Each structure stands twice: as C-alpha cells, then as structure tokens.
Amino acid sequence: ATRRIAGDPSDSPPVEVIHSSRELAEISRDLQEAALAQHSTNTKLSAAVEERDQTHRQLRQVLLHLDDKVRERTTQLEQARKVAESANAAKSEFLASMSHELRTPLNVILGMTEILGERTMGPLNDGQAECIAAVDESGRHLLSLINDILDLSKIEADMLHLDIQDIDIQAVCEASLRFVQEAAMKKKVAVLRHDLQRSGELPADQRRLKQMLVNLLSNAVKFTPSGGSVTLEVSQDDEANTLTFAVIDTGIGIAPAHLGRLFRPFQQIDSALNRSFSGTGLGLALVKRMAEMHGGTVGVVSTPGLGSRFHITLPQRSAAKGQSNPPVRVAPLLKPALPEATITGQPLILIAEDNETNVQLYLGHLRSTGCRFRFARNGLEAIERAVADQPDLILMDVQMPELDGLTATRRLRADLRTAQVPIITVTAMATADDRLRCLEAGANAYLSKPVSLKELSRLMAELLQARSPASPLNS
C-alpha cells in the first residue's frame, strides 16, 4: 500500500527493516486513511472543477444573451430616438402652421381696423369709431393669447431658445412700464418704480425678460382697483449675486389656499361660472418657465384684500457698488408714436402675396401715398415680375405656392438685375429663427403678421429713400 501511494518503488532507497508487525499495521492503516482522504479531496476538487466549468459555460451563455439584449435595446433606443425626432419635427411643423393660420386672418382684422381708424376710407361717427376700437382691442387681445399658447407649446417641445446678452435693466423696466401705462391710466392706478440695484446690466434675453415683466405688471393693473398703485421694484443681492424684479400691487390679493395653483398652465382662481376677470391662466405659467430657463426662480407673497408681491429672481454675473435710488413716480407715458411715412414720388411696388385679402389691405393703406403696384401670387411669378418690371421695392410673403418667398428672395439676390431691389419680408412666421432666416435669405427688413401698417409705411419710406443709383442699398 505504501509503494502504491509513493509511486514507483524501484528508485526508492532501502528502508530500515521494521520488526514490529503492530507498528507496520499502524503505518498501513495511517497510509490507507491518508489515501482515502486524498481520494476524497481529489473527488471534491474534480467536482469543483466541473462546477467551475459549468459556471463558465453558463456565464458564456449569459454574456452571449447579454450581447443580444444590448443590441436589441440599442436598436429600440435608436428607434425611440427617431420617433422622438420625428415627433419634435411634427411639433415644429404644427406650431409653424398654427402660427401662420392664426396670424394671417388677424393681420387682416387688425389691418382693416387700422385703416378704418385712420379714416382714410371716409369719416366715422362716434358709434362707428367705438366699434372699430372695440374690434381692434379684441383682436390684439386674441393675438396676445395666441402668442402665449404658442410660446408655452414651444417651451413644452423644448423649441424656445433664449438670446442671452448683457441688457440695460433700466431700459427694459421703462419699456415694460410704458406697455401697461395706458391701461393703468384708464383705471386710475398709479404706477411707481423703485430701484435698489447698483449694477446697470444683467445677462438675460431682453425680449423674454420684458415679456415676463409685462405679464406681471398687466396682472397687477388688472387686479388693482381704481385709486390703487402698482410698483416695479428692482433689488440686488450682492451675497447671492442675484437681481430681483418685484411687482407689488394694492389689489384684491390671493387667498393662501389658491397660491399653489397660480403658476400652473390653464389654472385660474375664480370659477368658470362666476369669473370676474378675463384670461387663460397662461401668463404666470410662462413667467415661471421663462425664469427657470434663465436659471432663476419666481415667487409670490399675498394677503387677501391688501395686495400681492410677485418676484422674479435671476442670477447676475457681477455686481458694482453704488448708491440706491429713492422711489420714483413714473409719469404717464404712452408708446412713442412712429414717425409719419414720407413716401415721395410714385415708386413701383411689387406685392408678392397669395392671399387676396392681404393684398387689398396693403392697397387700402398705400393708395394715398401715390405708389404704383404690380402683383405676384407665388415665388416664380415674383421673380418674373421683378426682372420684367424692375420695381423700386418688393413686399414678399414667405409661404406661397409653387415657390416660397425665401427661395425667391435668394434667387433675386443672385441675379444682378434685381440684387439691389429692397425687399421687406411680411410673413406670419414670427419666431426669432424665422426673422434670422429671412434676413439671411437677403431681405432688407422683416415684419411679422399681424403687421402695423404705420411701421410698414415707415420701413418702405426708409428703404426707398436709401436706394439711389449712386448709393445702392446693401442687401
């Protein structure tokens, strides 16, 4: 047994002869027990090795299956990404279409009321003038609602982008106050401004900041009774490096139970059956979303019967030292009147517009200026008429059949015969990106529908005056 355990005994040295048979038996028993223990260990080791091999085989199967799962999941994610991109593209197209379809009839409504209000088509009695003013006011209210709905839709679709620049705080505040001054004067509500900030600039989107302030100021004026006051307060926190715009009113106030609903879209405090104030409930929701896009916050403190304080806090990069300004009363200010148009001579105007009502609108406003007119119903016809008639100025719509206005503008700019003709793009495409696209295509100016006819006349006069053979107008 010892030799079997030890292996080949032929090379083993001689072993001292053991004379005790009992000792020999004990050695044999011990060796046999060692052999059994080794055999058991080997058996366990063999089982462990087999289990390891089986585990490795299973792991290989899992890895192969995992690779399949990863490939499958990657494919699903890619499909989901394509679906999301398609959905965003559909949203973008829908918003553009909605903007165009809603603004186009509003352009006619507001434009016709402007023409009638100017009395260029004949005198109006007092009752007719009041009706025209009511139509104009309702149309502009509808336009503001459309803008709010489209802006909220763009934010939800992650399509609203900010143009962050260092802006003049005082200029934005004054412009916002001018916007609500007329409504405040009608209600006999005093408008105040209280400046506590020391830095005159703020990194923000000027248009969106003004939109936020006008929303808060308009609400404050609407909910403040006659004889009350609305204050725009601007303060600065040097430690937090923030700037806060607060709109404080002495209005009806808000009950604590209703404060949580204020910044939700389409939420209003008064019930649908006994509402005292008009509105869609979108204004404060837009303020909150736009403030958050700036990296800021909004908040409100209100006491029923005593008034409310809405505030917007935005981050500020730097703060300069200086003195605080005392409260100042803002004198009644109206929007500055646009200068009168001075179209001289008999310029030839090409109107590229497929909507006949819009064409009649422009004609009704411009006939008294002495202008001559040519017309085109699509982009191809606009190019043909521009080359053949050599107009002094072109009013170009964008969405037209056969060839759109942007492509037509590019082709006109590429043709030496029409490269210097001033082009004003008049379109229902009303976003900042739309404006940039029109200008990049070669338009000299951009107006979004509904357009102010006075602004249109002013632009036409400036472009016609700037164009001369000695000094061609740059596109």
Side-chain angles (χ1 to χ4, degrees), residues 270-290:
D270 50 348
S271 67
L273 297 179
N274 61 351
R275 291 176 58 191
S276 302
F277 302 94
S278 62
T280 60
L282 290 177
L284 292 179
L286 282 172
V287 170
K288 182 176 185 295
R289 302 291 182 86
M290 290 180 183

Side-chain angles (χ1 to χ4, degrees), residues 185-350:
M185 288 175 61
K186 289 180 179 179
K187 289 191 67 176
K188 297 181 180 179
V189 173
V191 178
L192 309 174
R193 189 177 73 248
H194 193 186
D195 295 331
L196 300 175
Q197 92 281 2
R198 292 178 292 279
S199 176
E201 292 187 347
L202 174 74
D205 185 316
Q206 179 169 327
R207 176 168 171 258
R208 297 305 178 184
L209 176 57
K210 179 184 174 184
Q211 184 177 355
M212 288 188 284
L213 294 178
V214 167
N215 263 321
L216 294 184
L217 288 166
S218 298
N219 278 350
V221 171
K222 179 167 65 173
F223 292 106
T224 299
S226 178
S229 65
V230 173
T231 302
L232 175 58
E233 179 183 274
V234 186
S235 59
Q236 185 171 328
D237 187 332
D238 293 335
E239 185 175 348
N241 201 24
T242 58
L243 202 70
T244 298
F245 299 85
V247 175
I248 308 163
D249 64 64
T250 59
I252 61 176
I254 305 166
H258 295 150
L259 292 177
R261 299 166 51 191
L262 285 178
F263 297 100
R264 300 176 187 173
F266 305 104
Q267 293 286 325
Q268 293 176 308
I269 294 176
D270 50 348
S271 67
L273 297 179
N274 61 351
R275 291 176 58 191
S276 302
F277 302 94
S278 62
T280 60
L282 290 177
L284 292 179
L286 282 172
V287 170
K288 182 176 185 295
R289 302 291 182 86
M290 290 180 183
E292 291 172 347
M293 291 178 68
H294 279 83
T297 59
V298 297
V300 58
V301 178
S302 184
T303 303
L306 297 180
S308 305
R309 181 186 189 274
F310 286 85
H311 64 268
I312 304 169
T313 300
L314 302 180
Q316 190 177 31
R317 282 198 297 262
S318 61
K321 295 183 179 180
Q323 299 295 326
S324 300
N325 298 323
V328 294
R329 180 176 295 273
V330 180
L333 295 174
L334 299 178
K335 293 182 182 179
L338 295 173
E340 293 294 331
T342 55
I343 298 177
T344 58
Q346 294 182 326
L348 181 63
I349 309 299
L350 172 60

